[in-house]
């Protein structure tokens, strides 16, 4: 019985038809999560317009860690996209490699973000700026962790040979969430790291 558990059986998800319930479910989830970040970033811009530069911390956000971190997250998205392209052509090894690279870069992003949090001169309770900074980046970090869990699940299924060129619906469904996480980070990066220098 234990020998048949990890056999090459197709997942009960269906083919790559984008009208599948999983695809629409993921898009609905992304829309609701996007709304959360829109509200949070709106709060930032609302307060920033009310108080101007005096609202910002004395030491403006540094690009020392945030720029490399942004590059790592964008490269992880490219790697996942490359892997997804591979399985569409029946190249399972390309999918495995793309997902593995995406996961490693995502984990590195989490590590660098934790270092950056520890170096901040303010906390979540220091000011409204600190509260918004840690709330928004914290919510994004939570989404990164969820995205990593999705990518790890896809990687395990790919290693177990569950996907082929015709049956790989979970791959685009899961990877679109990862791409969403990356787009959200670009908005967060622009808001907290770029706009303070423009005010």
């Amino acid at each position: 019985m234990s020998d048949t558990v990890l056999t090459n059986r197709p997942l009960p998800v269906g083919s790559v038809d984008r009208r599948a319930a999983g695809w629409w479910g993921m898009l609905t989830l992304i829309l609701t999560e996007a709304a959360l970040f829109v509200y949070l970033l709106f709060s930032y811009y609302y307060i920033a317009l009310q108080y101007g530069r005096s609202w910002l911390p004395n030491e403006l956000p540094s690009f020392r860690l945030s720029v490399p971190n942004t590059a790592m997250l964008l490269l992880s998205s490219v790697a996942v996209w490359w892997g997804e392209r591979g399985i569409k052509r029946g190249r399972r090894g390309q999918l495995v490699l793309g997902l593995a690279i995406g996961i490693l870069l995502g984990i590195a992003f989490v590590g660098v973000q934790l270092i950056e949090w520890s170096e901040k001169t303010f906390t979540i309770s220091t000011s409204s700026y600190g509260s918004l900074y840690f709330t928004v980046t914290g919510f994004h970090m939570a989404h990164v962790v969820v995205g990593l869990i999705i990518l790890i699940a896809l990687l395990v299924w790919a290693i177990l040979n569950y996907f082929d060129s015709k049956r790989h619906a979970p791959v685009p469904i899961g990877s679109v969430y990862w791409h969403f996480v990356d787009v959200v980070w670009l908005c967060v990066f622009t808001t907290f790291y770029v706009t303070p220098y423009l005010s």
Side-chain angles (χ1 to χ4, degrees), residues 61-145:
S62 170
F63 293 115
R64 183 176 63 87
L65 295 176
S66 60
V67 168
N69 226 14
T70 300
M72 281 192 295
L73 205 56
L74 291 176
L75 287 173
S76 75
S77 197
V78 171
V80 170
W81 168 82
W82 178 74
E84 181 185 349
R85 253 186 101 179
I87 196 60
K88 287 178 181 175
R89 298 174 182 175
R91 300 175 185 159
R92 187 172 62 93
Q94 185 173 330
L95 173 63
V96 169
L97 184 58
L99 290 172
I101 293 171
I103 290 167
L104 290 175
L105 288 170
I107 291 170
F109 174 88
V110 170
V112 173
Q113 187 66 50
L114 290 173
I115 292 170
E116 184 162 9
W117 281 352
S118 69
E119 293 181 353
K120 290 297 178 201
T121 57
F122 54 86
T123 67
I124 194 169
S125 58
T126 301
S127 63
S128 56
Y129 177 89
S131 178
L132 275 171
Y133 174 83
F134 283 105
T135 299
V136 174
T137 57
F139 268 116
H140 180 262
M141 179 76 82
H143 285 74
V144 170
V145 170

